[in-house]
Amino acid sequence: MKTRITELFGIRHPIVQGGMHYVGLAELAAAVSNAGGLGILTALTQPTPAALAAEIARCRAMTDKPFGVNLTFLPARRPPDYPGYVRAIIEGGVKIVETAGNNPETWLPALHEAGIRVIHKCTSVRHALKAERIGCDAVSVDGFECAGHPGEDDIPNFILLPRAAEELRIPFIASGGMADGRSLVAALALGAEGINMGTRFVATREAPVHEKVKQALLAATELDTRLVMRPLRNTERVLTNVAVERLLEKERGLGPNITFEDIAPEVAGVYPKVMQQGEMEAGAWSCGLVAGLIRDVPTVKALIDRIMREAEVIVRGRLMGLLDSDAGCAPRS
Ligand SMILES: Cc1cc2nc3c(=O)[nH]c(=O)nc-3n(C[C@H](O)[C@H](O)[C@H](O)COP(=O)(O)O)c2cc1C
């Protein structure tokens, strides 16, 4: 399938694997890129820029296809060494960067100078337009369904994507709630040029996370995510567990007086415990509503091939068929 996104990134299928803390390692990114999508390493999972440089080299040894690096700019008590990470990306010869969180404007000149395409992930039309204005090459439009940070507007993709299509000139992909061929066709119908998936890729064989995480996604339904940190205006969609319910109880109890310190035990340092040790009650970790559509743990290639096959069947079979039968039923004049 050819879209403005496959052309921009030099990939075969319009399917991107979004940056994921402690999931976006070389094993997963290379598997996605080898299967014809765009795999993305997550910079901040690497403790230092030197470690990111090593991870980029490891990924390059696993694939000769394009892959990207995610740079997330979120509120932090001690900001990471962003200049160092940007240098590691540029010197590592990576040609695609997914930015997320705060405005990436500061970093665009250096990235563009190095011939890097930047796709900014954002959760509102106004932020997408801002990304276009400052020179991003594409945007990933992340609806309210998404895992991680959906922003504070709560607009689901059935409205957000066509609104983005009305306003944007640069290409965009649909993110949040994407799982299968139905999602891809729907996203294309709403004006997107492809899809970005997070949660669905966690439940794949190659995702380098504890088996219990994959089993948790299989067991979860669309009713099992929660929005945490809303009072701090840093809302995150996570899978519910004992720690998450305790966190929500604190939010209810402390109301607007809550601070990050109050909930640090439930949100700080959680990812290595969950993703590597399989401590499923350790705290809050991102998970999308799409958990309700995940029923298996295929290889990345099997998943991507299935999505493309399903999309073709839907378009050629079901949708074209509807038009054909419509012609057959047209009233005679
Ligand atoms: C476990 C997990 C960790 C994530 N970590 C990050 C991150 O560090 N930076 C980021 O920009 N997005 C992160 N995301 C969000 C994804 O990149 C993607 O935008 C989101 O998962 C899309 O929604 P979906 O899960 O419904 O596909 C994470 C998602 C998951 C599931």
Side-chain angles (χ1 to χ4, degrees):
M1 187 182 284
K2 200 157 130 183
T3 73
R4 288 164 76 198
I5 283 292
T6 60
E7 297 290 284
L8 183 68
F9 295 144
I11 53 178
R12 180 148 177 251
H13 306 305
I15 300 177
V16 177
Q17 166 247 314
M20 287 184 280
H21 203 32
Y22 279 85
V23 185
L25 302 174
E27 287 79 5
L28 181 60
V32 173
S33 291
N34 282 333
L38 181 70
I40 294 193
L41 299 173
T42 309
L44 299 188
T45 298
Q46 302 302 325
T48 60
L52 175 61
E55 192 66 6
I56 290 169
R58 210 161 71 82
C59 194
R60 174 133 318 110
M62 294 171 157
T63 182
D64 57 1
K65 304 280 192 312
F67 62 89
V69 175
N70 165 284
L71 263 177
T72 303
F73 306 107
L74 286 178
R77 282 178 289 187
R78 265 186 306 128
D81 177 8
Y82 286 116
Y85 285 106
V86 168
R87 214 172 315 117
I89 290 167
I90 293 172
E91 288 172 4
V94 171
K95 291 298 170 206
I96 300 161
V97 163
E98 177 197 54
T99 53
N102 292 342
N103 185 336
E105 192 166 9
T106 315
W107 312 103
L108 286 183
L111 295 171
H112 277 152
E113 182 119 332
I116 293 172
R117 308 257 192 224
V118 177
I119 177 163
H120 184 60
K121 189 160 54 190
C122 38
T123 57
S124 71
V125 174
R126 66 185 181 285
H127 291 139
L129 279 172
K130 182 75 193 267
E132 178 175 273
R133 221 163 26 243
I134 64 175
C136 290
D137 301 282
V139 284
S140 188
V141 174
D142 219 13
F144 185 51
E145 303 89 337
C146 73
H149 296 270
E152 311 301 327
D153 290 351
D154 301 355
I155 310 295
N157 268 334
F158 245 92
I159 304 302
L160 190 59
L161 297 173
R163 280 289 298 119
E166 284 174 1
E167 304 269 350
L168 287 170
R169 275 170 296 120
I170 55 174
F172 69 96
I173 55 176
S175 179
M178 305 292 140
D180 51 33
R182 296 172 299 184
S183 323
L184 175 57
V185 174
L188 296 171
L190 295 173
E193 307 273 341
I195 57 174
N196 179 60
M197 301 197 300
T199 308
R200 175 62 270 200
F201 276 124
V202 181
T204 57
R205 298 244 193 105
E206 291 91 337
V209 301
H210 199 283
E211 193 51 36
K212 283 187 183 169
V213 176
K214 302 178 190 184
Q215 292 306 318
L217 291 178
L218 286 180
T221 76
E222 63 275 24
L223 301 175
D224 294 328
T225 74
R226 301 287 181 270
L227 295 172
V228 298
M229 295 194 283
R230 179 132 272 189
L232 299 173
R233 291 190 65 76
N234 185 26
T235 301
E236 183 178 0
R237 186 181 294 284
V238 300
L239 189 67
T240 185
N241 59 29
V242 170
V244 166
E245 295 304 327
R246 190 169 61 235
L247 191 169
L248 290 170
E249 195 54 50
K250 287 184 188 178
E251 289 186 352
R252 281 189 289 269
L254 293 168
N257 299 323
I258 199 163
T259 65
F260 182 81
E261 276 61 39
D262 294 316
I263 58 165
E266 284 81 26
V267 296
V270 170
Y271 275 80
K273 291 186 198 152
V274 172
M275 298 298 172
Q276 295 172 342
Q277 315 305 327
E279 292 176 30
M280 300 312 294
E281 308 294 330
W285 58 279
S286 297
C287 174
L289 292 175
V290 74
L293 296 175
I294 296 176
R295 312 238 156 65
D296 59 0
V297 182
T299 64
V300 165
K301 180 166 168 33
L303 175 64
I304 290 182
D305 286 349
R306 183 169 76 197
I307 292 173
M308 297 312 298
R309 215 170 38 243
E310 281 173 359
E312 186 168 348
V313 168
I314 292 170
V315 174
R316 287 196 205 280
R318 178 148 198 273
L319 300 185
M320 296 294 282
L322 290 177
L323 284 178
D324 290 347
S325 62
D326 187 41
C329 299
R332 289 182 197 172
S333 52

